[in-house]
Amino acid sequence: MAKKRPIALLSELASHKETFGGDMPLAPGHRMCIGCGIPPIVNEVILAINEPVIISNATGCLEVTTGVYPVTAWNVPWIHVNFQSAATVMAGVEAAYKVLKKKGVIPEDKKIHFVAFGGDGGTYDIGFQALSATAERGHNVLYVCYNNEGYQNTGYQKSSATPIGAYTKTTPVGKAKVGKQEPRKDLTMIMAAHGIPYVAQASPHIFRDLTRKTKKAISMDGFKFINVLEPCTLSWRFSPEDTMRLAKLAVETRYWPVYEVIDGKYWKVNIKPKKPKPIEEYIAAQPRWKHVLKYPEILEKIQKEIDEKWNLLLHLEEMSKKLAEEEGVDYEELFKVPED
Amino acid sequence: MSYQLKPWHEIPIGSIVPEAGSSKINHTGSWRMLRPVLNYDKCTHCLICWIFCPDDSIPVSPQERFETDFEYCKGCGICAVECPYDALEMVPEMEIKLKELEEELG
């Protein structure tokens, strides 16, 4: 029999599980697709927070599968709101918490964390103005976007997170047009431009990184945003067991850079693949996008977008090191998670 | 899987579901086509399969991984792909069922 060697971090997370009566924050029996990448994201984020949390959830895959009336899969307080309001409803809850604390209804030392979950439809497109407004008002909320690059809940329509050339129900592939015509929007950069305390991009297969980023985010006061890539087995049309393999491939090909930004000015790229895999490998794994391999001009555009973004990130990192030095701030210290 | 729907005047205001994690009455194990079979000799209880399981069907303690909960396992196979020690193998559910039936009939 092999020796027992639990990974220290996972062992720690497993002990947090006891607070939910032995189940994960997201209990079994939900109607998520076979091999869905959303539950690991939700579980990693909530288990990393070792204090009470309240969740709000925009309409999307996560909501329709976990909140089928009259049962719920959630082991934490959860509010379902309409498509655009995940961020603003959480802002309201947070404001109520502050007032109740002032009135003495909630004890002074009780710490509650506020987390909003939204898909890329509810974050990039429909919920964007509410998200931006909540960020501007600086509510103490952590917003986690699970980005599956389209409206998968309604059968895969295009969203502004869908990459160029990809097939969706609203951007079919034919003689006149090949999939989506526009490149994807970079919401993480837009959120960083809000100058909020913490913005990050993560991938669920690197659980170390995602849990650390969650811990870092909740240690800060103000609006925080984490964008997580979530390969969708149903709409990207790959085999269900490959969900985490695709999330890994996205990072290895630099398609999904894993980085974090503090105060909108100190940038750090967390994972730098030394020998990036060719983007063709990532594209070939997804039948929704595979046809672009036949169109070198689209492939070139995709590669150019990835290389330019990567280069920009490296430059921003270099510049923020210089900026920190000029301001007399310890650059490495900025990204450390404070011990409690 | 069964639940009684309440009459309108007994439904909590705002469609509140007072019981947490009540979705456990849905036994999603019936969706399964492939079954993850664990080789205990290879398992090091690293818990990687647990954190990636979308259906919370791998019961664990901080030190140990227990047998998969087949009431809820949908058989996606992420655990078998992600296991660094190849301790899991996906076996068609039909084969297992047939074997069980053969044993039963002698």
Side-chain angles (χ1 to χ4, degrees), chain A residues 18-30:
Chain A
E18 299 310 313
T19 21
F20 307 107
D23 283 329
M24 289 290 243
L26 206 55
H30 54 70

Side-chain angles (χ1 to χ4, degrees), chain B residues 2-3 14 28 32 37-38 40-41 53 62 82 91:
Chain B
S2 69
Y3 36 72
T28 49
R32 192 171 58 248
V37 177
L38 179 65
Y40 274 100
D41 293 338
C53 178
E82 295 305 318
V91 181

Side-chain angles (χ1 to χ4, degrees), chain A residues 18-298:
Chain A
E18 299 310 313
T19 21
F20 307 107
D23 283 329
M24 289 290 243
L26 206 55
H30 54 70
R31 277 80 174 277
M32 223 83 77
C33 303
I34 296 173
C36 183
I38 304 171
I41 296 174
V42 173
N43 289 331
E44 282 168 32
V45 167
I46 301 177
L47 283 175
I49 307 171
N50 203 12
E51 275 156 334
V53 284
I54 299 177
I55 310 287
S56 86
N57 196 180
T59 301
C61 285
L62 181 59
E63 172 268 322
V64 295
T65 51
T66 55
V68 186
Y69 198 78
V71 293
T72 175
W74 292 84
N75 276 320
V76 286
W78 175 79
I79 316 164
H80 163 229
V81 290
N82 49 1
F83 225 135
Q84 70 278 28
S85 319
T88 29
V89 164
M90 217 61 239
V93 174
E94 189 251 5
Y97 163 75
K98 272 187 190 156
V99 170
L100 290 176
K101 223 173 183 181
K102 218 183 242 173
K103 285 186 176 172
V105 181
I106 296 174
E108 196 57 46
D109 55 343
K110 190 168 171 81
K111 185 103 186 92
I112 300 176
H113 295 286
F114 305 95
V115 183
F117 281 104
D120 62 300
T123 310
Y124 278 65
D125 302 342
I126 303 172
F128 182 63
Q129 63 89 8
L131 177 75
S132 180
T134 315
E136 188 259 330
R137 289 192 300 268
H139 288 280
N140 191 12
V141 172
L142 166 64
Y143 194 102
V144 181
C145 168
Y146 59 90
N147 178 0
N148 47 24
E149 306 195 327
Y151 292 85
Q152 320 299 17
N153 165 34
T154 47
Y156 197 19
Q157 287 80 15
K158 142 205 139 124
S159 84
S160 51
T162 313
I164 186 167
Y167 163 85
T168 68
K169 289 266 168 72
T170 42
T171 57
V173 178
K175 273 181 194 153
K177 278 179 179 176
V178 182
K180 196 190 170 195
Q181 299 293 298
E182 309 82 20
R184 60 192 165 139
K185 177 161 95 185
D186 195 337
L187 188 70
T188 319
M189 288 238 173
I190 298 171
M191 290 316 288
H194 282 69
I196 53 178
Y198 192 74
V199 174
Q201 204 159 276
S203 169
H205 94 278
I206 325 170
F207 53 85
R208 253 175 238 288
D209 184 67
L210 181 53
T211 47
R212 188 188 62 81
K213 279 176 177 162
T214 310
K215 280 180 187 162
K216 176 73 187 163
I218 59 158
S219 75
M220 299 174 107
D221 202 31
F223 191 79
K224 288 89 56 173
F225 179 80
I226 302 180
N227 198 351
V228 192
L229 185 73
E230 189 269 304
C232 173
T233 156
L234 195 69
S235 301
W236 297 16
R237 299 181 180 174
F238 55 84
S239 180
E241 71 267 17
D242 287 340
T243 308
M244 292 300 157
R245 206 173 64 82
L246 251 95
K248 193 176 175 187
L249 213 51
V251 176
E252 283 172 348
T253 53
R254 294 177 176 171
Y255 172 79
W256 190 255
V258 171
Y259 62 93
E260 53 193 328
V261 192
I262 287 182
D263 293 334
K265 54 180 183 176
Y266 305 111
W267 299 65
K268 186 179 188 179
V269 183
N270 302 104
I271 289 168
K272 293 176 188 160
K274 277 195 187 114
K275 273 189 195 152
K277 287 189 176 165
I279 187 68
E280 283 87 346
E281 202 174 313
Y282 179 61
I283 292 172
Q286 312 166 34
R288 65 142 181 177
W289 208 12
K290 214 161 62 174
H291 53 266
V292 301
L293 293 175
K294 285 183 276 178
Y295 300 89
E297 67 280 4
I298 303 179

